[in-house]
Amino acid sequence: MSFLDVIAALGRRWIVTVIGLLATAGLVYGASTIEPPVYTARALVLLVPSEQVVGQGGNPFLALGGLDLPARVVVAYYESDAAKAKFSSGSDDAEYVVAIEEATRGPVISVDVTDSTPEATLATLEEITASIPVELRRLQEEVDAPKNAIVSTLDLTKDEQAEADNSGTVRMIIAAAGLGLVATVVGAVATDGLFRSRARGRKQGGTPDVAPADPPSAEPDAAGPGAAKPAQQSAPAAGDKPPTVRLPAVRPPSVQPGVGRPADERALPSWHNPPRESRDKRRDDAAARAAAESR
């Protein structure tokens, strides 16, 4: 079936098409409700070396080489179940990812938060970034690290506004719209094919034409010359069967008496032709009897 045939079927079954489009609109609205847009926010936290490592009047950025291991320890803590339960309890839709920022070569920790509202997203991001220096200090104090050797943190960047992420909503809307449109086209084409098939069946299986009855056969006029003649039959219409004409039976010719023939020949029919010898004999006998009577 070509594209033009599909368009023609949609036009002929416009009721099915309209119902399908309305159903598609409902699916799109439902998809946007089921999968609403989410909001994301991001922060980067840098680990700063201790005073013991930097020294008096030293530059902390020149001593970042040995801080990769403490950063991975902090990341491992935030990936634990206890941390996830602690920092996700404020919102059921909140999700966060704490990882090492691979785009840099230093001890930089990235924090990515996703939530259903921009306010909740920013609140969760603030809570996690504020807890990183606290948890880092607690971990160092548990191993009895000297105060002048404790590693601290520095917030490099933090989003002030959450960004909307509509990728999930767009995917759901596209899937719902595609499903609705395909169902509409298939339903309209199938309905059109069903109706057209039934119409062809009614046209082919209609009541057949009834053939006219044969006219009465022609019989000899038995009522005499004075009897009324039957009405003349009208000529058959084009396409009708020709009437059957029955001819009268052929009767044998009637017996006519022969003129100048002997009596025994008169009883015979006119079409009887006896042998020549029998005729000559009868003629001689008749001549002999006539001569005897004249004497």
Side-chain angles (χ1 to χ4, degrees):
M1 179 177 288
S2 63
F3 178 74
L4 294 179
D5 294 335
V6 173
I7 296 300
L10 291 174
R12 285 190 296 267
R13 307 303 165 193
W14 62 271
I15 296 179
V16 179
T17 303
V18 171
I19 294 175
L21 292 177
L22 292 177
T24 302
L27 287 176
V28 170
Y29 177 77
S32 62
T33 304
I34 294 174
E35 190 70 20
V38 295
Y39 297 88
T40 60
R42 181 179 175 86
L44 296 177
V45 179
L46 174 66
L47 268 64
V48 179
S50 63
E51 297 178 358
Q52 182 180 358
V53 174
V54 176
Q56 186 69 27
N59 187 353
F61 289 100
L62 299 177
L64 298 177
L67 298 180
D68 184 69
L69 183 58
R72 294 188 181 276
V73 172
V74 173
V75 169
Y77 166 75
Y78 280 95
E79 292 297 325
S80 64
D81 295 335
K84 287 183 178 295
K86 178 180 179 181
F87 295 105
S88 299
S89 60
S91 175
D92 296 335
D93 300 327
E95 295 180 0
Y96 73 88
V97 175
V98 177
I100 298 295
E101 180 61 31
E102 300 296 341
T104 62
R105 296 182 180 180
V108 179
I109 299 175
S110 64
V111 181
D112 295 286
V113 179
T114 302
D115 210 335
S116 57
T117 61
E119 294 78 9
T121 302
L122 294 177
T124 303
L125 180 65
E126 179 65 27
E127 181 182 4
I128 294 175
T129 54
S131 67
I132 289 178
V134 176
E135 298 298 332
L136 178 61
R137 188 178 185 86
R138 179 182 65 80
L139 292 174
Q140 294 178 89
E141 290 176 352
E142 289 181 357
V143 296
D144 297 330
K147 293 184 178 180
N148 60 349
I150 291 178
V151 179
S152 60
T153 61
L154 174 67
D155 292 342
L156 292 180
T157 179
K158 184 190 303 182
D159 291 340
E160 299 295 335
Q161 293 182 351
E163 296 182 358
D165 183 7
N166 298 318
S167 58
T169 306
V170 171
R171 287 194 297 268
M172 288 294 295
I173 290 176
I174 292 175
L179 178 63
L181 292 177
V182 169
T184 300
V185 172
V186 172
V189 171
T191 304
D192 183 69
L194 179 62
F195 274 90
R196 296 184 70 182
S197 177
R198 289 182 178 179
R200 286 194 299 267
R202 287 194 300 267
K203 185 177 180 180
Q204 294 177 0
T207 304
D209 296 336
V210 179
D214 294 340
S217 60
E219 297 292 342
D221 191 3
K229 295 182 179 181
Q232 185 178 1
Q233 298 291 334
S234 60
D240 294 342
K241 295 171 60 178
T244 304
V245 179
R246 298 180 181 177
L247 300 177
V250 178
R251 297 180 179 180
S254 58
V255 179
Q256 300 291 336
V259 180
R261 294 183 179 180
D264 54 356
E265 290 187 18
R266 294 172 186 174
L268 297 174
S270 59
W271 46 269
H272 181 70
N273 188 15
R276 183 175 181 181
E277 292 80 2
S278 299
R279 294 197 305 269
D280 294 342
K281 184 178 180 181
R282 286 195 297 270
R283 191 181 302 110
D284 294 342
D285 292 342
R289 283 195 299 270
E293 289 178 358
S294 63
R295 293 176 185 175

